[in-house]
Amino acid sequence: MLTDLEGQTERITYVNEENGFTIAKVKVKGRQDLVTVVGNMLPLTPGEIIKMTGEWDYHPKFGEQFKIAQYTIVIPATVDGIKKYLGSGLIRGIGSVMAGRIVEKFGQRTLEIIEKDFEKLAQVEGIGQKRMAMIARAWEEQKEIRDVMLFLQSHGVSASYAAKIFKQYGNQAVQLVRENPYRLASDIFGIGFVTADQIAEKMGFPKNSKLRAEAGVIYALNQLSDEGHVYYPYEALIQKCQEILNIDRKIILEAFAVASFREQIVIEELNRVEDYKEDNKAVYLKPFHVSETGVADSLKNLLTTPKSIRKIDANRAMEWVQRRLDIRLARGQIEAIKRAATDKVMVITGGPGTGKTTLINAVTKIFRRIGVSVMLAAPTGRAAKRMSEATGLEAKTIHRMLKFNVRKRGFQKNGREPLKCDLLIVDEASMIDVTLMHHLLKAVPPGATFILVGDVNQLPSVGAGNVLNDIIASKVVPVVRLKDIFRQAEQSSIIINAHKINQGRLPELRPLKKELSDFYFIEQEDPEEVLRIIIELTRDRIPKRFGFDSVENIQVLTPMHRGIVGAGNLNLKLAEVLNPKEGGLRRGAKVFRVGDKVMQIRNDYEKDVFNGDIGRIARIDQELQEVIISFDDRKVAYGYTDLDQVVLAYAISIHKSQGSEYPAVVIPLLFQHYLLLQRNLIYTAVTRGRKLVVLVGSRKALATAIRNNRTQRRFTYLTKRLK
C-alpha cells in the first residue's frame, strides 16, 4: 500500500550513476532511527527535504526500507538542514567549515541571502572576491543543472552524464538534445551511440530515422577504429551497420552519402589496374584518411629531400664512440650507425637485450660530436624518461614535443612551424598510431634524419593503425634488425624467456619457492585462487623477498578488463588491501581514496596528461570539488565531473602497459582469456618487467598463447600508399 513520507536527507549511502538508483538515510519526524530510502532519483544532497510516496519493504540483509515510487525535493528551511545542504560539496567553494560560518552569520535566511543579496557573503570571514565569484557561478550552475537533469533523467540519462551534458552545452542543453540526441555520442565522452540511441527512442525517434542511420555509421566506424582498423571494406561495413541498426540497406547507403557529403567519411576506390577486384572500396572516418595519406606523403617527402647533416666517416665515428662509451658494438649496431650516417629515414627493430638503448646513445653521441641538433622522443612519459637516463639528453613525449595549443585545438609544431633539429630519434615506435604519426611527421623538418626504434613483435598501437609494421612491409625505408643478445642480457631469465616466447617456445617455468631468479610461474587453474595469490604476491611475498614497494614497484598486467582476474575486479580487491583507507570519494561504481594509484584513460591536452599516464591521488578537496593527482611530481587538478577520465591502476591491461617498464610485473593467465591468448600479448607483458616477472595461472593457457602467432588483421592501406 502506498504511503506518504517526509524527511530531511542526512547522508547518501550509495548512488549508481548509470541509472540514478540511490540508497539514502533520511531523518523523519517522530522516528528515532534514520529511515533507509531506496529508489531511482536525481542526485540528492544532504540537508534537502524529500517528500516521498512509496511503500515499506523488508530487505533480508539490510532490514526495513522505504521504496520510493514518486518524490519531490524541497530546499531545506532549518538551520541544521541548510548547513548540511551547503556543506555537502554541492557548491564549489563552500565546504563544511565555510558552510558553518555562513549559516552562523545568516541563520535561516542563508539561502535567501545567496539567492537575492549575494554581496553580503563578503561579511563572512574567509570569503574574498575570488571565492565569491566561484560560489556565485556554482550556485547559478546548480540551479540550471537541476532543470536540465529533470529533462534528461525523464529520458533515461543518468545524473553523471546530465552534469557533463550541461557542462558541454550550458543553457542550450535541453534544446540541442531535443533536436538531435545522437550528437551526444560524438560530443560527450562516455556517452556512446547505444546510450544516445536509448535516449532517442524514449524521445520518440523512429528506428529508421535518418539521424539514427547517420550516427550509426559513424558509431560503427569508431567501434572498428577502436579495434585498430584505419578503414573498413565497403560491403563489410554495410553488413556491420545492418547488424547494429537493424534497418534497410537503402537507408544505410543514404547515410553513407550524407556522411560523405559532410566530409565525415571518405569512400575510396582501392583498385589498382594490376589487381582489380569488384566492390573493392574502403570507408574511412575523415581524420583517419587524412592521417594515413599524410603519413605516406610526409615519409615520401622526407626520403626525397637531401640531408641537412654533413657526410661523416662512419668507420671513424664507430671507433670513436666505442672508445668514448667503453663498449663493443655488435654487427647489427654497426650496420645501424652506417645507415644513420647515409640514410634520411630508417627503422631499428629488435627484442629485449639486443642493444637498442645503447645504440640510441651511440648515435646521439656521434652526431652531437659534429654539432648536429638532436631531438629525442617517445610515445609515453616513462619511455621518454628511459631515453633521458640512457643518453643524458632531454627526451620528451611526442605530445609535449609537438606542443598542443588548447585554444586552437591543434599542435603548434607542424609543417608551418617545424621542430628545430637535424636528427630526430623516436623510441617505442610500435606504439605510435596513424594519427599521432601523421602529426609527428608533419613537424619533422624536410632535411632532418628520422630514426624510428621499436620492437615489431610487441602488440600494435592501442589506437588505429599498424604503422611501424606497415612502414617495414613497404620496403621503402631501410630496416636494421638487431638479433644479437648481449652477454649481460643473457644472464636475465626475463630476456631469455621473452626471446623463447617470441620464437614460439615455452619459457622455463620455475616455481617461486626455488632459488632467487627474475622469472617465475605459479600454476593455478581456479580464477578465485589466482586472485588470492596475486593479492598475496603484491601485498606480502614480493615485497618481503625482493624489497619492492607494493604500489610503486609492482604492476599487475592482465589480458582482460572483465572477470575475476580482469583489471576492474583486480583493482577493487588490490585497492582494499594496498590502500585500506576509510571513506573516499564515490563516483558511481568507482571509489577514489588519497594514495590510490590511478591511470589516465584518454588524452587531455588542457591538463597535459595522456592516455596511459599513471599517477597517485595526492588530495581530495571536497570544498573545491577537486581531486589532485600527482604525475611524476607534477600535480594536476581534476574536477569531479572529469574523473571518468581516470581509473584505478593497481592492475592495468597489457595493452595499456606498452612503452612502460616496471621493476616487477605479475601476470594472470587463464583459459577464460581464450580470445586474447596471442603470442605478442604474452611477449609484450613479459618484456614490461625489468627485474621480476611472475606468471600466475594455467600452463595450458600459456602454451596456447605462445602457439598462436595469428594476430588480428587491421585494415590499413599505408604499405601500398608508400609503395
Side-chain angles (χ1 to χ4, degrees), residues 7 29-30 62 93 129 151 193 199 249 271 317 353 359 384 390 440 455 460 472 484 499 540 626 664 707:
K29 195 173 181 180
F62 301 110
Q129 288 304 312
F151 167 77
F193 173 80
I199 296 164
R249 178 187 174 97
N271 278 319
L359 182 55
L440 174 62
D455 185 346
I472 291 170
D484 298 317
H499 284 278
D540 304 317
E626 281 183 345
R707 280 198 304 271

Side-chain angles (χ1 to χ4, degrees), residues 635-690:
K635 288 185 166 48
V636 180
Y638 286 74
Y640 284 2
T641 55
D642 298 329
L643 288 174
D644 57 353
Q645 301 181 27
V646 175
V647 295
L648 291 175
Y650 300 97
I652 63 174
S653 71
I654 294 169
H655 261 102
K656 289 285 189 186
S657 73
Q658 284 177 268
S660 295
E661 282 185 351
Y662 313 93
V665 298
V666 179
I667 308 160
L669 202 60
L670 290 168
F671 230 79
Q672 62 183 219
H673 303 146
Y674 183 78
L675 292 173
L676 296 164
L677 294 179
Q678 293 177 347
R679 186 185 300 172
N680 61 353
L681 184 90
I682 307 304
Y683 175 78
T684 300
V686 166
T687 53
R688 299 310 90 205
R690 199 162 61 242

Side-chain angles (χ1 to χ4, degrees), residues 53 337 354 359 391 481 521 545 568 633:
T53 301
I337 289 173
T354 56
L359 182 55
T391 61
R481 298 179 188 272
F521 176 73
R545 191 165 186 183
D633 301 323

